Amino acid sequence: MAIIEVTDLRKSYGQLSVLEGVSFSVAEGEIFGILGPNGAGKTTTVECVEGLRKPDGGTIRVLGLDPATDGRALREQVGVQLQHTQLPDTIKVWEALDLYAAFYSRPRDWRELLEQWGLADKRNARFGKLSGGQKQRLFIALALIGNPRVAFLDELTTGLDPQARRTTWELIKQVRDSGVTVVLVSHFMDEVEELCDRVAVVDRGRVVALDTPAGLVDGLDAAHEIRFTLMAACDPVALLADLPGVAEVTVTADRVVVSGRGDFATAVTAQLARHHVLVSDLRIDKRTLDDAFVALTGRSL
Ligand SMILES: Nc1ncnc2c1ncn2[C@@H]1O[C@H](COP(=O)(O)OP(=O)(O)OP(=O)(O)O)[C@@H](O)[C@H]1O
């Protein structure tokens, strides 16, 4: 079931047209990513869906409600990650959670969230004294305090070290597994690849692709490649060209390049083993979400 439906969303700031017909839907229980270069219109899109900005055209339904007119009813069911400037430096961690819990009729127990997000020993610390990572985790805890059905998270792991990012990813998967739908705005390809069930790539105010991360990579014209050196004479074209997923086999002296799509690497390596073909320097060059992004937008993040 779609929990968010956005159809032909349009928005201009004065003469600047920022959204030119954005459409997508988010299914209940998924982690949905919004990926795009700077200025593509991601924040504008998400803030229209959250009811924080007013669109010029198109329709938005969140849990069947229009955020522009049913904001009050939606606020109970939607969690939004705050931006860094929105808490005073002097507020204590527990006070922030207690304050935000008071806005909701069925809030989560904030002590539980403190434990879950590794902030229990920072309960009495002032916001201004927290590290970047601790602030980030507090913002996520605040987005979840109202027991939302949908959570919007923007730049989830900015400022976190590699281990803290991995921990955050695991926690976000748990949030999804507990039934909360997550909309994630991100600049990080690895994060999107690891977390998102589906991704909308936004560029110049339009959705230029919408698929699973693997589907976006498979849609590339350029295929994955396997390269290896033959250690004894054999005919790799006869052996490999007809395997499922293989597009082309090129041989230059003893060096072989096999290009293909999907999981063709398993078929190729199994076939080599079955025919006792010994190879060396085997390398697999997989296309990545980064490649797909560059192909779709002409830019790298
Ligand atoms: N309130 C505003 N008034 C005028 N222009 C704005 C306003 N908010 C955003 N813009 C402009 O609209 C365009 C899209 O901005 P938006 O913040 O939606 O993009 P974004 O994809 O989220 O970018 P980033 O990744 O840099 O956050 C940009 O050119 C931005 O300068």
Side-chain angles (χ1 to χ4, degrees), residues 13 16 18 36-45 53 155 185 187:
Y13 298 111
L16 181 68
V18 172
N38 286 335
K42 303 181 296 294
T43 303
T44 304
T45 302
R53 295 194 200 194
E155 303 303 329
V185 177
H187 275 118

Side-chain angles (χ1 to χ4, degrees), residues 244-278:
V246 169
E248 197 178 3
V249 182
T250 333
V251 187
T252 316
D254 58 353
R255 195 74 188 144
V256 182
V257 180
V258 186
S259 61
R261 291 174 187 287
D263 192 20
F264 77 112
T266 309
V268 168
T269 47
Q271 179 81 331
L272 292 173
R274 204 175 302 122
H275 289 80
H276 308 289
V277 177
L278 285 180

Side-chain angles (χ1 to χ4, degrees), residues 43 58 79 101-102 115 127 131 156 158 164 175-176 178-179 186 206 217 236 240 258 268 270 292:
T43 303
E115 285 290 339
F127 175 70
S131 71
L156 182 69
T158 301
V175 169
R176 187 253 325 263
S178 73
S186 183
R206 292 174 196 276
V217 176
L240 306 173
V258 186
V268 168

Side-chain angles (χ1 to χ4, degrees), residues 105-160:
S105 57
R106 296 174 299 106
R108 297 260 315 262
D109 181 345
W110 54 257
R111 292 160 199 86
E112 211 179 277
L113 279 168
L114 276 186
E115 285 290 339
Q116 189 183 6
W117 289 92
L119 290 167
D121 59 342
K122 293 290 164 192
R123 177 191 163 121
N124 289 311
R126 295 197 188 277
F127 175 70
K129 300 277 182 210
L130 298 179
S131 71
Q134 289 160 349
K135 285 181 179 169
Q136 199 73 355
R137 279 181 276 142
L138 176 60
F139 287 131
I140 300 168
L142 289 171
L144 298 173
I145 191 114
N147 227 345
R149 286 182 65 192
V150 188
F152 291 92
L153 305 176
D154 202 334
E155 303 303 329
L156 182 69
T157 59
T158 301
L160 301 191

Side-chain angles (χ1 to χ4, degrees), residues 7-289:
T7 314
D8 201 23
L9 185 61
R10 292 168 187 277
K11 172 87 182 162
S12 300
Y13 298 111
Q15 296 296 308
L16 181 68
S17 171
V18 172
L19 302 183
E20 301 194 328
V22 167
S23 301
F24 61 89
S25 66
V26 178
E28 180 153 27
E30 72 176 336
I31 301 181
F32 185 86
I34 299 184
L35 187 68
N38 286 335
K42 303 181 296 294
T43 303
T44 304
T45 302
V46 166
E47 292 196 351
C48 287
V49 177
E50 292 166 354
L52 300 174
R53 295 194 200 194
K54 200 171 168 312
D56 300 332
T59 55
I60 303 176
R61 291 290 174 273
V62 181
L63 295 153
L65 300 170
D66 180 350
T69 52
D70 305 315
R72 191 178 286 266
L74 267 181
R75 262 191 286 284
E76 272 291 319
Q77 307 190 63
V78 169
V80 176
Q81 187 183 342
L82 296 178
Q83 300 302 311
H84 276 75
T85 48
Q86 290 174 286
L87 279 183
D89 276 351
T90 49
I91 197 167
K92 291 181 178 170
V93 167
W94 77 267
E95 288 171 339
L97 286 157
D98 200 45
L99 175 69
Y100 277 76
F103 298 151
Y104 298 95
S105 57
R106 296 174 299 106
R108 297 260 315 262
D109 181 345
W110 54 257
R111 292 160 199 86
E112 211 179 277
L113 279 168
L114 276 186
E115 285 290 339
Q116 189 183 6
W117 289 92
L119 290 167
D121 59 342
K122 293 290 164 192
R123 177 191 163 121
N124 289 311
R126 295 197 188 277
F127 175 70
K129 300 277 182 210
L130 298 179
S131 71
Q134 289 160 349
K135 285 181 179 169
Q136 199 73 355
R137 279 181 276 142
L138 176 60
F139 287 131
I140 300 168
L142 289 171
L144 298 173
I145 191 114
N147 227 345
R149 286 182 65 192
V150 188
F152 291 92
L153 305 176
D154 202 334
E155 303 303 329
L156 182 69
T157 59
T158 301
L160 301 191
D161 63 48
Q163 195 182 344
R165 295 183 78 212
R166 296 236 150 241
T167 310
T168 303
W169 291 349
E170 289 315 308
L171 286 165
I172 294 299
K173 286 183 202 165
Q174 284 175 27
V175 169
R176 187 253 325 263
D177 295 345
S178 73
V180 180
T181 306
V182 178
V183 177
L184 188 73
V185 177
S186 183
H187 275 118
F188 298 120
M189 295 291 174
D190 57 347
E191 181 162 293
V192 166
E193 226 157 2
E194 170 77 22
L195 282 183
C196 294
D197 297 299
R198 291 185 313 136
V199 190
V201 180
V202 177
D203 190 31
R204 297 186 179 94
R206 292 174 196 276
V207 175
V208 292
L210 200 165
D211 206 333
T212 60
L216 289 174
V217 176
D218 283 346
L220 279 170
D221 277 343
H224 305 302
E225 287 179 349
I226 307 174
R227 299 159 182 274
F228 55 84
T229 302
L230 289 170
M231 298 191 53
C234 86
D235 181 356
V237 177
L239 203 60
L240 306 173
D242 294 332
L243 291 177
V246 169
E248 197 178 3
V249 182
T250 333
V251 187
T252 316
D254 58 353
R255 195 74 188 144
V256 182
V257 180
V258 186
S259 61
R261 291 174 187 287
D263 192 20
F264 77 112
T266 309
V268 168
T269 47
Q271 179 81 331
L272 292 173
R274 204 175 302 122
H275 289 80
H276 308 289
V277 177
L278 285 180
V279 303
S280 64
D281 302 329
L282 187 137
R283 212 178 72 202
I284 300 181
D285 288 333
K286 286 198 85 165
R287 298 288 162 246
T288 62
L289 192 54

